Every structure is written in structure tokens, then in C-alpha cells.
Amino acid sequence: MSTQVHANLTEEQVRQISGDLDEPEWLVETRLEALDALEELDMPDVIRTPGRDWTNLHELDFESLVDPLNAAENKDQVGPDEVDVLSWADAVDEHEDLLKEHFGSIVDPQENYLTALSTALFSTGTVIYVPEGVDAEDVTVRTEQNSRSLFNYTLVVTEESSSVTILERQSTGQEADEQYYSGVVEVAAGENSYVQYGSLQNLSEDAYNFTVKRGVADTYATIDWIEGNLGTQLTKTEVSTELSGDSSETQIVGAFYGHNDQHFDLDAKVWHRAEHTTADLVTRGVTDDVARSVYEGVQDVGQDAWDTSSYQRENTLMLSDESEADASPKLIINNHDTEASHSATVGQIDQEDLLYMTSRGVDPRSARNMLVDGFFVPVLEEVDVDELRDDLEDLIGARLRKRE
């Protein structure tokens, strides 16, 4: 079923956005093709059981949420001198050939309705280019949304034998009654390069969030993702890696904490397409009050993916009887030379652990908070960026204290 195209979106608006960024004609055409495709495209796939969609994206009122020509933000983009960390407008001016090669090569602009909408309307973004042999740390991209809608695009390209650690943050500055944030991230990791991309989404709980973060790893390359989600009333996000080069690796680590009536729909996917590839997917989250989480994890091992190692674990801790959590881990194996496993658990705080702590003088509230903090440790230990790890710990602690 296709989604009805916005009545309030026009070719003139798209051309104005592109013109303000001084984009070349090929980019204008890509945007306009995405706009034209909206009429035929459906929403992103969600987990379905007979008679039920676990996440309903069709009820979102995009007519009121999206204001194409009113995009306001505070953006901070910082990196070491050896690395290009550029705004989208500067990247268009300085690296057009790079953009022409990689833009839309990993996330299809017309993959679904929301990717096409973002392609047509994005007005802000960051391009991170790491030359051959350069080791870069502390690249940060902080986005503060100050408008009703904001469409953001990020491209990361690492050349051979380079490395980079990236921290991306989304937060809300000037709040509207409801906001919509859309982010598309493409990572092209060259041979023997390393990327750790850590993101922390802490938008207003009146906001809606759609993000796709997807990477392709070349021979001996590694892409590690850290994904933290605490904000919004509804988040639909996918984090995934295609292991296209021999001996390439990926790790996808996720943490979320939903309370009140928040809804998180989280996908983690890996495609093994070459020999000797390795993947590790680890997600841990908490639901409280009447919050709901939906998790889908997919490990897809192709016919040519000999000597594959692929592991997936998802654990959700429910702090209230009214919260909900669903998990759907999947293995798709097309090569017998594979070591793979997947698991998912949903449960409440272990009463024996709680009794053990209270019997030794810890009050019940502190004991519960300590157990929740400990629940997230396996995720936090994987974060290389100190600021991201510290911020996640602080935000989780603040939410626990608010619960008191």
C-alpha cells in the first residue's frame, strides 16, 4: 500500500532547498526523482503478525509535521586537522566527486517513503572524509533541532588503512508541540580502515524520529556502531552493515530506555557477503510505565560467505507490569561454513538479586537502580568515546532518579 503524497510539497520547494546549498544539477535531479517517487512508495517495513503492525507509521500526520522551508538548528561539527569535517554546503563545493560517487550508494534514496522524503528535503548535513593512513579521534557532530521538522544527511568515507571515531548527538533546543527529525547516515569504509560511529538521540519526548544508519565494509575493514536512544515519543531506526570485503567485521551495540508512553522500533542488521567475516550484535534496553519496544535483528549469511562468525543478543528489562517489549531475532543462513547464534530475552528485575542486596542493607530503591545500571554495563563497555559513555550513564541515572 502506497502512502498519499503530501499536498504541501512542491518541486519549487525542493529546487529552493537545493539552490540555497548551491548543489549541482545531478543532485537536484536526485531530489526531484525522490519527490516524484513518494506517490508510489510505502512506509518502511515493520514487524507484522496476523492482523497487527507492531509499529504504525501510517497514522503520522506528515502534513502538519513537515515544513520543508522552515529548517532551523544549531550544529557543531568538529574534527582534527587531518580530517575533513564539512557542512553539506562546503562538501558540495570542495568534494563534489566524492559525493557523486557515494551519495545514495548505500541507502537507496527511493528505498521507502521516508528515505525518499529525506532525500528530497534534507537541508543540513555533514561529510567526514578520512584520507589514507590517517588515524582520527574525537570527531563530533552535535545537532540541536529548533524547527518543527529537520532533515539531516551524513556521509563518512574512510580511505585505506585509516581510522576514525565519531560521536553524533541529536537534541531539541527550541521545542514545538510536535517535531519530526529524519537522519540518513552512509558509511563507506575502505580497505583495512576502522570506523566507530556512536550516536545518542535525546530529542524531545514530543518528537518523532526516523533514522537509517548503514555502512559497507571493504576488505579487512571494520565498522562498529553504538546506538543510544532515550528521547522522542516514537522512534523508528535501523542500524546495519554490509560486510562486502573478505575478513571485514562489524559490531552493532544498542542501548535504549523508554518510559511514559514512548515507543521504540529498533532494527539491527548485518549482511555477510564475503569470506571470513565477523559480526556481533548486542542490544540492551529498559521499558517502564507504558512504554513499548520492538526489536528486530537479522543476520543474513550469503552463499559466498565462507567461514562466517555471527552472533546476536538482545535483552530487555521491564520495570513495570504495563510496559511491553517484543523481540524478533532472525538467522538467514545460505552457507553451511558458518558459526552463528541468536537470542532474545524479556523479563523483569530478578527478585533473588533484589532480595540479596536488600538483605545486606541496601534500600530497595537504590538496589533496583544499581541492578539497572549493571544491566547496561555490557553495552557501555563497548563505547570507545568517553563523552558518549559518560552521557549515556548520566542520562540513564537521571531517568532512574526521576522514577523515584
Side-chain angles (χ1 to χ4, degrees), residues 35-281:
L35 179 68
D36 289 341
L38 288 175
E39 191 170 3
E40 302 299 328
L41 294 172
D42 200 1
M43 287 291 179
D45 291 337
V46 298
I47 302 174
R48 289 184 171 89
T49 50
R52 182 185 185 188
D53 287 354
W54 291 8
T55 300
N56 190 344
L57 298 174
H58 291 274
E59 290 187 353
L60 293 183
D61 183 8
F62 286 98
E63 290 285 356
S64 65
L65 284 173
V66 174
D67 188 350
L69 300 180
N70 180 22
E73 62 167 352
N74 291 324
K75 188 181 289 290
D76 182 28
Q77 303 165 119
V78 179
D81 293 339
E82 302 88 349
V83 178
D84 287 345
V85 181
L86 303 172
S87 69
W88 181 253
D90 288 340
V92 167
D93 182 51
E94 298 181 29
H95 282 300
E96 183 183 342
D97 289 343
L98 190 77
L99 301 184
K100 195 167 186 178
E101 178 180 358
H102 293 287
F103 179 78
S105 65
I106 301 172
V107 179
D108 182 355
Q110 298 179 32
E111 182 171 316
N112 56 58
Y113 185 87
L114 295 184
T115 58
L117 188 68
S118 189
T119 300
L121 300 182
F122 81 92
S123 58
T124 182
T126 306
V127 173
I128 301 168
Y129 172 66
V130 187
E132 181 177 348
V134 170
D135 294 325
E137 297 182 354
D138 299 326
V139 174
T140 58
V141 181
R142 299 178 180 87
T143 302
E144 184 182 78
Q145 181 174 346
N146 294 315
S147 55
R148 191 165 184 81
S149 59
L150 189 67
F151 294 85
N152 189 67
Y153 173 80
T154 304
L155 172 66
V156 180
V157 178
T158 56
E159 299 290 0
E160 182 177 349
S161 300
S162 64
S163 68
V164 64
T165 57
I166 300 165
L167 168 60
E168 178 196 27
R169 294 198 58 168
Q170 299 108 27
S171 60
T172 299
Q174 180 180 340
E175 294 189 26
D177 293 336
E178 290 183 326
Q179 293 176 305
Y180 178 71
Y181 177 88
S182 177
V184 174
V185 178
E186 296 185 292
V187 174
E191 182 176 348
N192 196 40
S193 67
Y194 170 80
V195 178
Q196 181 173 106
Y197 196 107
S199 61
L200 177 56
Q201 179 273 115
N202 191 34
L203 294 162
S204 161
E205 289 184 30
D206 291 323
Y208 298 90
N209 173 44
F210 168 72
T211 56
V212 178
K213 300 180 178 73
R214 194 175 298 169
V216 174
D218 203 343
T219 305
Y220 292 109
T222 298
I223 300 176
D224 290 343
W225 303 96
I226 313 291
E227 172 92 343
N229 282 290
L230 284 95
T232 76
Q233 60 175 299
L234 171 62
T235 281
K236 174 72 175 90
T237 182
E238 176 203 312
V239 182
S240 57
T241 306
E242 178 180 324
L243 299 172
S244 63
D246 291 349
S247 301
S248 55
E249 300 181 8
T250 191
Q251 184 178 48
I252 301 174
V253 177
F256 65 90
Y257 191 145
H259 72 160
N260 296 330
D261 61 349
Q262 290 182 291
H263 182 112
F264 293 137
D265 186 315
L266 312 168
D267 289 358
K269 294 183 172 71
V270 59
W271 294 276
H272 296 267
R273 293 295 179 258
E275 299 180 4
H276 318 300
T277 55
T278 302
D280 190 19
L281 283 60

Side-chain angles (χ1 to χ4, degrees), residues 232-383:
T232 76
Q233 60 175 299
L234 171 62
T235 281
K236 174 72 175 90
T237 182
E238 176 203 312
V239 182
S240 57
T241 306
E242 178 180 324
L243 299 172
S244 63
D246 291 349
S247 301
S248 55
E249 300 181 8
T250 191
Q251 184 178 48
I252 301 174
V253 177
F256 65 90
Y257 191 145
H259 72 160
N260 296 330
D261 61 349
Q262 290 182 291
H263 182 112
F264 293 137
D265 186 315
L266 312 168
D267 289 358
K269 294 183 172 71
V270 59
W271 294 276
H272 296 267
R273 293 295 179 258
E275 299 180 4
H276 318 300
T277 55
T278 302
D280 190 19
L281 283 60
V282 183
T283 298
R284 289 202 167 198
V286 166
T287 57
D288 200 357
D289 303 319
V290 292
R292 176 171 176 75
S293 69
V294 178
Y295 168 86
E296 182 175 34
V298 178
Q299 302 146 274
D300 188 316
V301 180
Q303 292 182 350
D304 298 324
W306 300 93
D307 186 26
T308 292
S309 298
S310 191
Y311 305 98
Q312 178 185 176
R313 302 173 301 286
E314 196 277 338
N315 309 100
T316 304
L317 189 63
M318 297 187 298
L319 299 185
S320 76
D321 294 334
E322 292 76 28
S323 65
E324 295 184 53
D326 292 282
S328 178
K330 296 180 176 70
L331 284 172
I332 303 171
I333 307 296
N334 294 297
N335 188 304
H336 68 272
D337 186 16
T338 298
E339 291 183 4
S341 66
H342 67 306
S343 66
T345 64
V346 175
Q348 296 180 319
I349 289 177
D350 191 302
Q351 293 302 307
E352 290 187 5
D353 291 342
L354 196 60
L355 177 62
Y356 176 86
M357 297 179 70
T358 55
S359 68
R360 280 151 179 78
V362 182
D363 67 89
R365 189 170 295 167
S366 297
R368 182 209 65 206
N369 290 356
M370 291 169 65
L371 289 169
V372 174
D373 282 336
F375 175 76
F376 281 107
V377 166
V379 169
L380 296 173
E381 286 180 339
E382 302 298 332
V383 183

